[in-house]
Amino acid sequence: MKAKMNVPNLSQVKSFFLSLQDQICQQLEQIDGNSTFQEECWQREEGGGGRSRVLTAGNIFEQAGVNFSHVMGASLPGSATAHRPELAGRSYQAMGVSLVIHPLNPYIPTSHANVRFFIAEKEGETPVWWFGGGFDLTPYYGFKEDAIHWHTVAKTVCQPYGDDIYPKYKQWCDDYFFIKHRNEPRGIGGLFYDDLNSPDFDTCFNFTQAVGNGFLSAYLPIVERRKDMAWGDRERQFQLYRRGRYVEFNLVWDRGTLFGLQSGGRTESILMSMPPLVRWEYGYYPEPGSPEDALYSLFLIKKDWI
């Protein structure tokens, strides 16, 4: 029986991330049918670089960004050591794929996914490494069947790794993607995990591959189901208003955004998660009993969907 490997294979991880970016971009272009991803390859002065791909003005996707980056530096930024102070002063490498999709039709949810790998090293000491990632869904108009499908795929991804994995990472997602200053969830959640380095490298890498590969299985059926629904200015205005919550979370609370900016990352790539159009409205409350009100009362709540 082959022993599980616990020495990180960075080239293997990088190869998977690059192929995942290719696969996701290809399938999003195919379903959109109009626009294609424009690619920019970039280098970072301190070390590393990446390739950023953004699709705009599509039939279905108003904007979609799918980024790969592999960066390195002499010491980890504060956002990465805030909860791991023992890593301060170590050199590091960070790589991953991050994507955010903002559809045009308000009945299609916005979605985010991310898979990443960190390794921090210091001469004479054992390297410290971990995986992180997940995917989450942010509807504007909620549909129970979409929420059930999304979480069913999430649970299926986790099942081979233990009965406790889905509930644990669902809860972590609910807790992480919570807009504290609004006291509301960003969406209906999904999976979120970080600092994953046990039981061994192979298992953690296999799980991360399952999460990355599972994203399209969770998202595309929802896109297909909603893409031909008619919508007008009312739905559009509510969508733009709710996109404001997405911006607030990313700029105030998201650790990935902070890490990218603090580590001297490429600002355009980091902020590609921002929606192309958004609005704020002072003191807005949806009309009781309206479809907009249903988002708050039925979907933006912590709930077991399956």
Side-chain angles (χ1 to χ4, degrees):
M1 186 174 174
K2 185 184 174 186
K4 293 279 188 181
M5 189 176 78
N6 207 35
V7 178
N9 186 330
L10 271 69
S11 63
Q12 197 178 16
V13 175
K14 185 171 185 175
S15 177
F16 167 70
F17 286 158
L18 287 167
S19 67
L20 180 67
Q21 184 192 31
D22 288 341
Q23 174 197 350
I24 290 174
C25 289
Q26 182 182 8
Q27 293 203 42
L28 291 177
E29 285 180 350
Q30 189 174 338
I31 194 172
D32 186 84
N34 180 54
S35 241
T36 57
F37 282 91
Q38 303 303 304
E39 179 178 277
E40 278 190 89
C41 293
W42 50 274
Q43 297 295 317
R44 182 170 162 275
E45 196 171 317
E46 193 181 353
R51 58 185 198 189
S52 298
R53 293 178 180 170
V54 178
L55 178 153
T56 56
N59 280 335
I60 293 175
F61 307 119
E62 188 169 10
Q63 181 171 296
V66 185
N67 289 345
F68 165 80
S69 64
H70 178 196
V71 301
M72 54 212 69
S75 64
L76 280 159
S79 60
T81 59
H83 66 302
R84 300 281 292 267
E86 74 278 9
L87 299 181
R90 285 184 174 233
S91 64
Y92 72 93
Q93 292 189 59
M95 68 174 85
V97 171
S98 181
L99 66 90
V100 176
I101 300 169
H102 292 290
L104 181 61
N105 188 325
Y107 288 109
I108 305 175
T110 280
S111 188
H112 158 261
N114 173 260
V115 281
R116 58 191 179 273
F117 175 77
F118 279 83
I119 185 165
E121 298 176 278
K122 193 173 185 178
E123 192 173 345
E125 296 189 22
T126 304
V128 177
W129 58 266
W130 67 90
F131 286 93
F135 47 69
D136 64 286
L137 196 70
T138 307
Y140 304 99
Y141 291 90
F143 295 91
K144 188 177 178 182
E145 63 180 319
D146 294 351
I148 291 171
H149 166 77
W150 180 260
H151 280 278
T152 299
V153 173
K155 184 176 182 179
T156 301
V157 163
C158 295
Q159 198 60 46
Y161 299 88
D163 292 341
D164 61 327
I165 299 299
Y166 167 71
K168 177 183 175 182
Y169 291 162
K170 178 195 179 295
Q171 181 66 50
W172 201 343
C173 189
D174 288 341
D175 293 342
Y176 182 79
F177 291 106
F178 190 81
I179 308 171
K180 297 180 183 70
H181 61 275
R182 297 283 190 181
N183 194 34
E184 67 182 40
R186 187 170 83 170
I188 62 161
L191 301 174
F192 181 87
Y193 66 100
D194 205 359
D195 302 318
L196 179 66
N197 60 7
S198 65
D200 52 68
F201 172 79
D202 282 349
T203 304
C204 297
F205 182 35
N206 287 340
F207 177 73
T208 297
Q209 290 177 82
V211 171
N213 290 327
F215 168 73
L216 289 177
S217 301
Y219 188 54
L220 292 189
I222 296 172
V223 175
E224 290 282 6
R225 203 179 288 146
R226 305 297 161 205
K227 66 185 176 70
D228 296 322
M229 290 184 69
W231 55 277
D233 187 61
R234 170 181 171 161
E235 292 87 354
R236 177 64 164 170
Q237 291 304 314
F238 185 63
Q239 177 198 46
L240 296 181
Y241 172 76
R242 287 298 310 173
R243 280 179 176 178
R245 298 290 203 270
Y246 212 87
V247 173
E248 289 176 23
F249 178 85
N250 279 19
L251 294 183
V252 177
W253 300 108
D254 187 58
R255 282 212 313 260
T257 302
L258 295 176
F259 172 81
L261 296 174
Q262 290 179 5
S263 62
R266 184 174 184 264
T267 303
E268 283 297 306
S269 299
I270 297 161
L271 297 182
M272 68 86 197
S273 61
M274 297 297 113
L277 290 173
V278 62
R279 73 181 187 90
W280 279 264
E281 179 179 334
Y282 179 78
Y284 168 81
Y285 293 97
E287 183 184 333
S290 66
E292 291 78 17
D293 182 54
L295 177 72
Y296 294 83
S297 60
L298 300 178
F299 291 88
L300 296 183
I301 53 175
K302 289 187 180 181
K303 179 177 178 177
D304 290 326
W305 289 100
I306 51 175

